Amino acid sequence: MLDINRIRNNPEEVKNALLKRMDAVDFTELLQWDKQRRELIVLNDEKKAKRNKVSNDVPRLKKEGKDVSQLFQEMKTLSDDIKQNDEKLREIEDKIHDYLSALPNIPAEDVIAGGKESNEVLRVWGEKPVFDFETKNHVDLATDLNLIDYERGVKIGGNSFWVYTGVGAILEWALLNYFIEEHLKDGYTFLLPPHILNYKCGYTAGQFPKFTEDVFKIDTSEANESMQFLLPTAETALVNYHVNEILTEDELPRKYFAYTPCYRREAGSYRAEERGMIRGHQFNKIEMFQYTTPEDSENAFVELVTKAEKLVQGLGLHHRVSKLAAKDCSASMGKTFDIEVWIPSMNDFKEVSSASNAYDYQARRGNIRFRRQSTGRTEFIHTLNASGLATSRIFPAILEQYQQEDGSVVVPEVLRKWVGTDIIKNV
RNA sequence: GGAGAGAUGGUCGAGUUGGUUUAAGGCACCGGUCUUGAAAACCGGCGUGGGUUCUGCCCACCCUGGGUUCGAAUCCCAGUCUCUCCGCCA
């Protein structure tokens, strides 16, 4: 949600910024509604003030034995008038609200216009592993080593589901343990939120009302404000943790992380090249989240990106960091960096973490504020999130980057204490 | 799932036979006086949002949404949530 005052005061500035991610922006109608709204408020508040004044006089007039029936007639008309204006006002405010709800966040100044093709690679870590033997892709490795059962996953869940089995499950859990340990070391608070969320959560996060079709809804009824859905990312839960709250300045920053599976419909996005576990309806992810003051959010952003990078580096996986162009960022985000890991069989980098600064966009939608010590006034908080990390691309990257000629896979050092072995081979 | 009770500004809590409560009072908190310092005492301040002709004034908000009325925290209807008891249950 953008600040209507900002649009009113600097329409051209906001418009030009939004044009980095939108094809057309026109505030003419919005500003008209805004003007109508304020005129109507002035008019109606005057009427209400009069009504209040008369109401206060009534007891005295009655005590004095005056006849008030004529006055009541007038007040009846006035009240009907107020009621009508309130209805008009509500219609206008609904229109304004709907319009603002649909606008994406303003891209940060240093975010460039355009889509995916304009993304900028900031840095690359490590090198592409070179193999002097014929390599396998992660699907074959996972199948041959009995780490993942794709067929039975489809049998019990449907297309794009899989089952981690035996050592595969242990390896998956080792990754999560590794991430959790690192976040605890950095002083983040561990949360395990519900996986089923209400409509308001999706709205605050900025996913609703536009993307209700991307989530698994719990009941079969139409999307409405009493619906519940399976969370597509823990971010949706974490951004709502302090919804409608006013935090004190010294409580900030708040640093959280959560583990949840992520449930996504991914309707129509299936591609043969993404078979295996690159894109499923359910995947495990640990999500980092911060609530900060406006002046601290840029530093927090750097911290989150750095933390995510460190996790991939700790696993020794070749990866890169990209700065997304405006159109490739989710609607709620003003700036996003992606961390992508190298998948040899695909000859490409795949996202394992997306770090974003939503600035005050989500906080406005969720009414999340803090009290500024120096002024005593409330301000909107800044919210940031970053995966730390999603396992569904890390797992394949490990298999493929650490595979050996005999079909076995070396376990990254940091995971060995949980996996219990330094090499995974077929027995 | 069944029965009952409740929801008021950071907290406790008054107000619920509708009209100087246009939300009292206590506590906490902030500022001041006093004091070597602190406590106590005393004085003052102390919810959120919106509008504005902005050193001020006005409007809205007493769980949410409707309704009755000249007028609703107060009456009526619907819903949400919390608590207690019972049942069921990992």
Side-chain angles (χ1 to χ4, degrees):
Chain A
M1 181 84 74
L2 300 185
D3 183 1
I4 181 79
N5 295 303
R6 187 169 171 190
I7 297 176
R8 185 192 307 130
N9 298 330
N10 309 292
E12 286 308 306
E13 180 207 317
V14 175
K15 182 179 164 182
N16 289 332
L18 283 177
L19 281 173
K20 287 204 275 188
R21 72 192 309 168
M22 296 171 74
D23 296 328
V25 182
D26 185 1
F27 290 140
T28 316
E29 224 180 0
L30 175 72
L31 291 173
Q32 266 170 14
W33 294 333
D34 179 56
K35 187 157 176 269
Q36 283 170 19
R37 170 177 175 270
R38 286 181 295 146
E39 284 169 357
L40 200 51
I41 285 174
V42 170
L43 179 75
N44 221 26
D45 277 3
E46 275 171 20
K47 291 179 190 287
K48 285 177 180 175
K50 184 171 184 204
R51 180 173 68 181
N52 288 341
K53 195 170 176 307
V54 171
S55 281
N56 288 337
D57 287 343
V58 165
R60 186 176 48 81
L61 293 173
K62 277 189 169 175
K63 213 173 274 176
E64 291 170 5
K66 298 233 168 89
D67 178 24
V68 289
S69 57
Q70 176 65 28
L71 194 58
F72 281 4
Q73 274 302 321
E74 287 170 28
M75 287 303 104
K76 170 80 178 156
T77 315
L78 185 69
S79 275
D80 287 346
D81 210 15
I82 289 171
K83 206 169 174 182
Q84 272 187 9
N85 284 335
D86 272 339
E87 258 167 54
K88 257 190 253 174
L89 186 61
R90 194 174 154 180
E91 278 170 31
I92 293 171
E93 290 187 331
D94 281 351
K95 281 196 278 194
I96 292 172
H97 181 263
D98 289 350
Y99 184 95
L100 289 177
S101 294
L103 280 183
N105 202 349
I106 295 175
E109 241 171 77
D110 59 333
V111 169
I112 59 168
K116 253 190 180 64
E117 71 289 344
S118 303
N119 290 353
E120 179 193 355
V121 176
L122 297 177
R123 47 190 174 266
V124 179
W125 188 91
E127 288 180 12
K128 286 175 193 160
V130 182
F131 302 97
D132 55 3
F133 54 89
E134 196 171 329
T135 55
K136 295 181 180 177
N137 65 38
H138 68 274
V139 178
D140 292 338
L141 285 163
T143 305
D144 295 347
L145 293 168
N146 294 314
L147 302 178
I148 292 186
D149 192 330
Y150 292 102
E151 287 182 17
R152 291 195 174 89
V154 171
K155 186 167 75 175
I156 63 180
N159 186 35
S160 292
F161 285 99
W162 60 82
V163 180
Y164 295 94
T165 61
V167 178
I170 291 169
L171 180 62
E172 174 75 3
W173 218 251
L175 282 168
L176 298 171
N177 278 325
Y178 162 53
F179 302 153
I180 290 168
E181 191 174 76
E182 292 299 313
H183 296 320
L184 289 174
K185 266 189 219 162
D186 291 337
Y188 283 59
T189 303
F190 193 6
L191 299 180
L192 290 170
H195 298 181
I196 293 174
L197 304 176
N198 58 34
Y199 181 89
K200 166 81 180 160
C201 290
Y203 177 78
T204 302
Q207 287 140 1
F208 296 169
K210 214 166 181 180
F211 298 111
T212 52
E213 293 315 305
D214 292 353
V215 299
F216 288 106
K217 291 187 272 297
I218 294 302
D219 61 20
T220 54
S221 63
E222 287 300 298
N224 60 51
E225 303 210 344
S226 65
M227 74 177 265
Q228 290 180 305
F229 62 100
L230 288 168
L231 49 66
T233 161
E235 174 205 341
T236 315
L238 295 177
V239 69
N240 282 279
Y241 193 60
H242 290 296
V243 91
N244 285 329
E245 290 183 28
I246 302 174
L247 303 177
T248 58
E249 191 175 349
D250 57 20
E251 285 179 293
L252 298 175
R254 291 239 156 173
K255 303 180 180 184
Y256 297 112
F257 74 98
Y259 157 72
T260 69
C262 302
Y263 306 95
R264 301 185 182 179
R265 292 181 63 85
E266 303 288 1
S269 68
Y270 178 80
R271 282 182 291 172
E273 66 146 8
E274 290 188 334
R275 72 205 184 86
M277 47 192 304
I278 297 299
R279 189 179 297 279
H281 290 309
Q282 175 187 324
F283 60 92
N284 290 319
K285 178 156 68 68
I286 282 171
E287 182 77 3
M288 304 181 273
F289 201 92
Q290 285 208 30
Y291 293 82
T292 76
T293 58
E295 61 272 22
D296 283 347
S297 78
E298 185 55 34
N299 285 339
F301 179 71
V302 173
E303 176 180 308
L304 290 173
V305 173
T306 306
K307 271 174 63 62
E309 281 182 84
K310 254 180 75 183
L311 291 175
V312 189
Q313 285 165 14
L315 292 163
L317 296 169
H318 176 48
H319 66 277
R320 71 180 186 189
V321 181
S322 297
K323 179 175 171 180
L324 301 194
K327 275 186 187 171
D328 206 24
C329 298
S330 333
S332 304
M333 303 306 166
K335 187 196 291 203
T336 297
F337 284 7
D338 272 5
I339 290 151
E340 301 167 298
V341 73
W342 178 249
I343 308 283
S345 68
M346 300 177 78
N347 196 37
D348 201 0
F349 290 92
K350 287 287 163 187
E351 177 193 330
V352 293
S353 178
S354 199
S356 302
N357 192 344
Y359 302 107
D360 64 359
Y361 185 90
Q362 292 177 320
R364 283 179 187 279
R365 294 172 85 97
N367 195 28
I368 310 163
R369 294 166 293 169
F370 75 100
R371 191 174 302 283
R372 172 82 65 186
Q373 198 100 45
S374 56
T375 63
R377 307 211 48 89
T378 59
E379 292 178 37
F380 287 106
I381 274 175
H382 280 198
T383 58
L384 303 99
N385 70 284
S387 340
L389 300 165
T391 61
S392 51
R393 280 81 185 262
I394 290 286
F395 196 111
I398 289 173
L399 297 188
E400 294 196 15
Q401 290 196 32
Y402 281 96
Q403 64 178 304
Q404 303 192 98
E405 188 162 14
D406 63 358
S408 66
V409 170
V410 174
V411 177
E413 184 86 40
V414 291
L415 301 180
R416 287 181 191 168
K417 64 173 169 176
W418 288 293
V419 177
T421 174
D422 53 7
I423 193 156
I424 297 171
K425 53 185 152 195
N426 216 340
V427 282

